[in-house]
Amino acid sequence: MTTAPSRPLRVLHVVYRFDIGGLENVIVELINRLPTARFEHVVLSLTTVGEFAQRVETPGVRFIALDKPPGHTFGQYHRIWRLMRELRPDVLHTCNIAPLEVVPVAWLAGVPTRVHVEHGWDAPDLQGENRKYRWMRRIYRPFVSHFVSVSADLDRYLEAGVGVRADRRSVISNGVDTQRFRPGADTLPPDCPFRPGEHWIVGAVGRMVTVKNQTLLARAFVRLLQQRPELARRARLVMLGDGHLKSDVEAILREAGRLELAWLPGSRRDVAEVLPGLDVFVLPSLAEGTSCTLQEAMACARPVLATAVGGTPDLIRHGVDGLLVPGEDSQAMADALMVLHDDTALAERLGAAARRKAVETFSVDAMVNGYQALFAKHHSVSPMPV
């Protein structure tokens, strides 16, 4: 009896859009860190592939963009089926609800293992209460081999709301590279008009879209300066990211006469260099799974202030390694910013505790090992059926 020669496990990652974002960052880390002798990768975007793909360092990764128009993917099913028959992946890895409808197509195409990951909610379903989306997950549930959540909050939703059994779901938290994201020199890029030490800098990083809710931080910053006008000499606001909310943030600051105190340069590739220069990192989201940028700020030993939504309270213990405020409460956020400005000893303690937690709990290696074990557990490499 002869044994078929071993070959790398082919993983097909499917996303709605491959651009800057937390789930896309997870895929990049998996591609770059999973052993090339055991895994090879293809990335399929239902819409477009952006410059974020340049962060993939592993050679030979194929990126495919379907350029799907808005609406249901039904018209693309036959094309996707033919593509899967051509690619013959061993593992399908889908992220969030938009690509979930591809899973039955993969089942029909004979893809042996189909792993679906829930990274968090978006604006149409901030709390997972949308009945349409819940029933969609239930309908597609039989075609998924295994479900993954990035937080305990999402895992509870899959159990109670979607009816996924315990043996068919896992929690794998997003990980952060604590060597790349670490405390560093208190500097900011030369094109930033603000200087650490001279200024007290509040910052946020993320796509400027409804669910990330940067307008809340803008309103809180304005309130802070209304209550403490003398802080305008030092307080500054930095927001990295692009999206439709950017103009709303600028409008809030402009109306209050504070736009000159803010730097909004758009998306950046030097986040790891910017974060250590902030005095406070703020995550003002309406909903979250496990925020990669929050973890990165913690790894940089920044005191963090976040809204107590989704999986964030699983990451942050209020008063221990960060501060939590209710969602959509600009006054509470302004009060918390005031505390962090006035109590520098508290800010330093929170930052140091955040760094310890990131190193001990948010290892990128633990995340990669979790996916590697999951992919290998649910599939032994063999040819797909013809």
Side-chain angles (χ1 to χ4, degrees):
M1 180 178 177
T2 60
T3 302
S6 61
R7 59 173 177 79
L9 198 73
R10 182 171 297 160
V11 182
L12 176 61
H13 308 274
V14 182
V15 296
Y16 179 73
R17 176 184 293 108
F18 197 82
D19 208 344
I20 294 175
L23 73 86
E24 292 86 353
N25 187 64
V26 169
I27 292 174
V28 168
E29 293 287 3
L30 291 177
I31 293 173
N32 288 340
R33 292 173 181 270
L34 284 171
T36 55
R38 295 191 59 192
F39 294 90
E40 60 184 33
H41 306 269
V42 179
V43 177
L44 173 63
S45 169
L46 299 181
T47 55
T48 58
V49 174
E51 293 183 1
F52 199 69
Q54 297 175 8
R55 300 195 185 188
V56 170
E57 300 168 357
T58 301
V61 177
R62 182 178 174 187
F63 289 87
I64 303 169
L66 295 184
D67 297 316
K68 182 184 82 67
H72 203 274
T73 311
F74 182 78
Q76 301 279 346
Y77 281 0
H78 185 64
R79 181 184 178 189
I80 294 171
W81 180 86
R82 285 191 290 107
L83 187 60
M84 290 184 179
R85 295 298 291 173
E86 172 200 330
L87 295 171
R88 302 171 70 83
D90 302 292
V91 177
L92 176 76
H93 170 213
T94 55
C95 299
N96 279 353
I97 193 166
L100 187 56
E101 61 178 305
V102 172
V103 178
V105 180
W107 175 76
L108 286 171
V111 180
T113 301
R114 302 162 303 278
V115 175
H116 179 71
V117 185
E118 293 287 347
H119 283 266
W121 314 120
D122 209 339
D125 189 21
L126 290 173
Q127 306 299 328
E129 297 173 350
N130 186 298
R131 291 186 178 182
K132 173 186 173 182
Y133 294 149
R134 184 174 297 187
W135 276 108
M136 283 176 63
R137 289 180 171 94
R138 290 178 178 176
I139 290 169
Y140 294 127
R141 180 185 62 198
F143 300 96
V144 176
S145 306
H146 199 82
F147 287 85
V148 174
S149 301
V150 301
S151 68
D153 177 66
L154 290 169
D155 184 65
R156 290 189 290 269
Y157 168 79
L158 286 179
E159 178 184 24
V162 185
V164 182
R165 301 194 315 262
D167 62 332
R168 291 187 58 208
R169 66 179 204 275
S170 303
V171 176
I172 302 178
S173 296
N174 294 339
V176 60
D177 184 342
T178 55
Q179 291 303 308
R180 181 180 175 216
F181 291 91
R182 61 188 302 164
D186 291 339
T187 60
L188 285 171
D191 57 328
C192 177
F194 312 140
R195 295 291 172 262
E198 178 183 347
H199 299 112
W200 181 72
I201 302 170
V202 177
V205 178
R207 294 174 296 122
M208 288 199 168
V209 295
T210 302
V211 71
K212 298 302 180 181
N213 201 27
Q214 286 91 346
T215 51
L216 172 63
L217 175 55
R219 294 195 304 271
F221 185 75
V222 168
R223 277 181 175 268
L224 173 67
L225 297 183
Q226 287 172 341
Q227 295 171 218
R228 297 277 296 275
E230 74 278 9
L231 294 186
R233 293 193 298 269
R234 294 188 64 238
R236 298 294 185 269
L237 181 63
V238 169
M239 288 190 182
L240 306 188
D242 276 319
H244 69 271
L245 279 192
K246 186 175 180 181
S247 59
D248 294 345
V249 168
E250 290 173 338
I252 291 169
L253 296 171
R254 185 181 298 108
E255 183 178 346
R258 302 301 188 182
L259 186 57
E260 76 282 358
L261 304 185
W263 184 52
L264 288 78
S267 298
R268 306 275 297 199
R269 300 192 68 175
D270 56 355
V271 173
E273 288 70 48
V274 172
L275 285 175
L278 303 179
D279 290 286
V280 180
F281 175 85
V282 181
L283 185 74
S285 302
L286 291 171
E288 279 293 346
T290 300
S291 168
C292 292
T293 55
L294 177 62
Q295 292 174 308
E296 290 165 357
M298 293 174 72
C300 291
R302 297 300 83 203
V304 297
L305 166 61
T307 48
V309 298
T312 300
D314 295 326
L315 301 183
I316 296 294
R317 293 170 296 171
H318 179 70
V320 177
D321 38 38
L323 297 182
L324 296 173
V325 295
E328 283 288 52
D329 191 335
S330 59
Q331 183 61 61
M333 183 166 284
D335 290 343
L337 286 172
M338 199 178 306
V339 168
L340 291 172
H341 174 273
D342 294 345
D343 194 339
T344 55
L346 171 64
E348 289 177 3
R349 284 200 307 273
L350 293 177
R355 169 68 185 178
R356 287 195 300 271
K357 189 168 192 177
V359 171
E360 295 169 2
T361 311
F362 305 146
S363 162
V364 70
D365 291 332
M367 178 191 77
V368 172
N369 290 339
Y371 280 101
Q372 178 172 336
L374 180 64
F375 293 161
K377 174 183 177 182
H378 287 270
H379 181 72
S380 29
V381 177
S382 59
M384 280 181 55
V386 177

